[in-house]
Amino acid sequence: MDSNAVNNDLKQYIMVKFDNEQYGIDITYIDNIVRLQPITRVPHTQEYFLGIINLRGEIIPVMSMRRKFELPDKDTTNASRILIIKYEGNAKIGMLVDEVKEVVTLSDNDVEKLASDAADTTRAYLTGVGKYNDTLISLLNIGVIINDIDNEF
């Protein structure tokens, strides 16, 4: 078997944590990971938008993944991070997560795909579940999350 073919089905994910669950975000969407910094509130926005940050002269909206997934707020800690996401030419957006754990590499065989059901919005936000060591990682569908945000404005 060609060694290039074996490597083609590998994907890297940033493993993040919010609530007591672990989620994976395809590393190709990650522009930057920054420590928590002052967030300027913007009135009349969706509840899950925390506000905006100024990152090296660029204004970036920041959303709470906890609020987006209708989880209760939690105090931020030293481990809290803002992931700067860039998706297919859209403007960048920050996603506040409780913690960034590590980068994991999964093969197609390590990922169980989920059947998409339009009535179950939370499930639509997932592309599948990855198996890494003895851990299950819900893999976020960044495209659906970003398009969902764009449709609400």
Side-chain angles (χ1 to χ4, degrees):
M1 184 180 253
D2 182 16
S3 64
N4 288 334
V6 172
N7 292 334
N8 285 339
D9 72 344
L10 296 178
K11 245 187 192 176
Q12 289 188 308
Y13 296 88
I14 295 277
M15 190 164 55
V16 300
K17 185 176 178 184
F18 54 93
D19 206 22
N20 290 320
E21 299 294 324
Q22 299 193 89
Y23 294 86
I25 299 174
D26 187 332
I27 200 166
T28 59
Y29 299 123
I30 306 293
D31 185 69
N32 204 339
I33 300 172
V34 296
R35 290 188 180 275
L36 197 58
Q37 54 187 279
I39 298 173
T40 303
R41 191 172 126 17
V42 177
H44 305 294
T45 58
Q46 295 293 333
E47 183 181 329
Y48 54 83
F49 273 104
L50 300 173
I52 55 176
I53 60 171
N54 183 341
L55 185 63
R56 294 182 286 283
E58 187 174 5
I59 303 302
I60 299 175
V62 177
M63 67 183 279
S64 165
M65 290 304 293
R66 289 178 145 282
R67 288 184 184 175
K68 184 69 178 163
F69 279 35
E70 298 177 354
L71 299 169
D73 281 339
K74 177 182 170 189
D75 290 336
T76 56
T77 67
N78 264 350
S80 300
R81 295 289 183 269
I82 298 173
L83 301 176
I84 308 301
I85 305 290
K86 182 133 175 90
Y87 179 74
E88 293 182 1
N90 290 348
K92 294 177 184 173
I93 187 165
M95 293 181 171
L96 176 64
V97 297
D98 295 346
E99 185 179 352
V100 173
K101 302 288 279 177
E102 62 184 303
V103 175
V104 298
T105 302
L106 300 175
S107 73
D108 288 343
N109 293 335
D110 296 327
V111 177
E112 293 289 327
K113 302 288 183 198
L114 297 178
S116 212
D117 180 0
D120 187 356
T121 324
T122 304
R123 261 185 94 157
Y125 291 151
L126 302 178
T127 60
V129 176
K131 294 175 257 175
Y132 178 72
N133 295 335
D134 292 331
T135 306
L136 294 178
I137 307 165
S138 298
L139 303 176
L140 294 177
N141 188 337
I142 295 299
V144 171
I145 292 171
I146 298 294
N147 288 333
D148 183 46
I149 293 166
D150 286 345
N151 291 335
E152 292 183 16
F153 289 104

